[in-house]
Amino acid sequence: MERERNRPYRGAAYGFTLRVSALTALVGCAILAGGFAAAWDTFEGVRDYADRNIANEDSYVAYADGGWFPLVRVGLVVSLLLLVLALLVLSVLHAAYAVAESHSTRDSGPLTVRELWRRTRGRLPAALTVNALSALPVGAMAVAGYMLWMTVEREEVPGVRPTPIGETATPLYTLVGWVLPIAVICLGPLMYFRLSLATAETVLERRSPLKALYRSWVLTRRARTRTLGLGTLLTAGAALVVLLAAYALAPLAHFAGLGMLWLSDDNVWITGVLVLILPTAVALLLLPPLVMPLVSGTFARLGGELRAREGAGRQAG
C-alpha cells in the first residue's frame, strides 16, 4: 500500500527532476562555453608567447607574460556562476521534493509535474535564501581550514615546521597541518546536515528563512546520529558518483580535445584546460538526475518523520 501510494508522486517528482536537470545542463554548458570564449584571446596570447620563445630557442614559463591573471579572473567568474547555478538547483529540488512528500502523506491523489511546479515556485525565493544561509557554514569552515593549512605551510605557526619531501612527518605537523584543518573543514557539512530540513520548513510551513533554519536545528536535535549518518552517507555516495563518472568520461575528453584543437588551430593551451576540466564538469552535471532525487527525497522524508514524531510527542504529553 505504501509503495502504491507513493508511486504517483515519485513519478511527478522525478519527471520534474529530469526537466530541471536538462535546463541545468544547458545553462552549465553555456557558462563553460562563455568562460572559454572570454579567455580565448588570452590563450592565443599564451600560445604566441610560447611560440616566440621556442622559435628563439629561449626558455619560457607557462602562462607568463601577463597571461595568468586574466585566466584566473575568468575562472573565478565561471566558478561563481556555477556555484549560483548549483545553489538554485539545490533549492528548487529540495523545495519540490518537500512539496511532493507532503502531498503523499495527505493521500491527495496523483500529482502532476505542472502542479508540483505551481506549488513550489511561490516559495522558491525563501528556499533559495534558506539554502544560501545553510551553505555559509560550509564555505566559512572550508576557508578557515584552508587558511590554517596555508598558515602552517608558510611556517607562520610557532613550533610547527612543514616536513620536507621524502621525510617522515612529525606528529605535531601531522596534527596541526593536516588533522586539524580537515576537522575544521568537516564541521561545515555537519552543520549543513543539521540545517537540511529548513527548506521544507519554509516551503510547507511558510516560516521565514531564519525561523526555518532554527526549526531545522530543533527538529534534528533528537536525531543527531541519524541526520549526520544520512548526510555523510549521501555525501560519500555523491562524491563516489562524481569520481566514477569522471573516470568513465575520460574518453569523451579525448574527443573533445581533438575538436578543440581543430577549432583553436592547434592551441594546446586551451585544449589542455578543456581536457582537464571536462570529465569533472560533466560528472557534476549528472548529479541532479542521478543523485539529487535520493538526496532531496531522503531529507524530505526525514523532515516529515521528525515533524510527525514531535507532534505525536506533544499529543502524548
Side-chain angles (χ1 to χ4, degrees):
M1 287 296 293
E2 183 71 18
R3 184 177 300 176
E4 292 296 328
R5 181 173 64 84
N6 287 336
R7 190 172 296 166
Y9 103 83
R10 287 178 178 172
Y14 194 68
F16 181 79
T17 301
L18 290 179
R19 288 164 171 79
V20 172
S21 301
L23 183 59
T24 301
L26 289 176
V27 176
C29 290
I31 292 173
L32 289 176
F36 277 104
W40 194 274
D41 290 340
T42 303
F43 278 114
E44 286 295 316
V46 170
R47 175 171 63 175
D48 292 341
Y49 163 75
D51 288 345
R52 287 195 306 269
N53 282 270
I54 293 173
N56 295 329
E57 297 183 354
D58 294 332
S59 62
Y60 67 94
V61 178
Y63 301 109
D65 196 29
W68 176 250
F69 289 105
L71 293 178
V72 170
R73 286 197 296 268
V74 172
L76 289 176
V77 173
V78 169
S79 299
L80 179 61
L81 291 175
L82 291 177
L83 284 175
V84 172
L85 177 62
L87 178 63
L88 183 60
V89 172
L90 192 69
S91 303
V92 170
L93 292 182
H94 276 346
Y97 275 82
V99 171
E101 177 67 22
S102 176
H103 179 89
S104 72
T105 58
R106 295 196 304 267
D107 197 17
S108 304
L111 179 66
T112 64
V113 174
R114 185 184 296 273
E115 177 65 15
L116 180 59
W117 170 239
R118 187 189 68 80
R119 296 186 188 182
T120 302
R121 65 188 179 189
R123 296 297 295 172
L124 188 55
L128 184 60
T129 303
V130 160
N131 280 276
L133 293 174
S134 301
L136 286 179
V138 181
M141 292 300 102
V143 171
Y146 175 75
M147 293 302 296
L148 177 58
W149 177 75
M150 286 298 297
T151 301
V152 174
E153 292 299 312
R154 292 171 181 169
E155 301 186 15
E156 296 177 1
V157 178
V160 181
R161 294 290 180 268
T163 302
I165 297 176
E167 296 186 13
T168 303
T170 63
L172 184 59
Y173 171 69
T174 301
L175 176 63
V176 180
W178 288 96
V179 176
L180 189 56
I182 292 173
V184 171
I185 292 173
C186 288
L187 286 177
L190 295 180
M191 292 183 66
Y192 181 81
F193 300 152
R194 291 290 305 275
L195 302 174
S196 58
L197 309 184
T199 302
E201 288 297 317
T202 196
V203 171
L204 301 179
E205 305 297 331
R206 303 276 173 171
R207 303 181 191 274
S208 68
L210 291 178
K211 289 183 178 179
L213 290 169
Y214 175 74
R215 177 70 174 150
S216 175
W217 190 270
V218 171
L219 283 174
T220 56
R221 182 179 298 163
R222 297 182 179 179
R224 293 187 184 93
T225 302
R226 185 181 179 188
T227 302
L228 299 181
L230 284 173
T232 303
L233 185 63
L234 292 171
T235 302
L240 181 61
V241 168
V242 170
L243 289 175
L244 293 178
Y247 179 78
L249 291 167
L252 175 64
H254 172 72
F255 292 105
L258 293 177
M260 180 59 82
L261 282 174
W262 173 80
L263 187 65
S264 64
D265 193 21
D266 293 334
N267 189 328
V268 296
W269 304 97
I270 193 170
T271 300
V273 173
L274 176 67
V275 171
L276 180 65
I277 70 172
L278 187 64
T280 302
V282 177
L284 290 173
L285 291 175
L286 291 176
L287 283 181
L290 296 182
V291 177
M292 284 307 300
L294 178 61
V295 173
S296 298
T298 298
F299 281 115
R301 196 168 302 113
L302 176 63
E305 292 177 3
L306 293 180
R307 284 191 295 273
R309 183 189 303 176
E310 184 185 57
R314 288 177 179 175
Q315 290 180 357

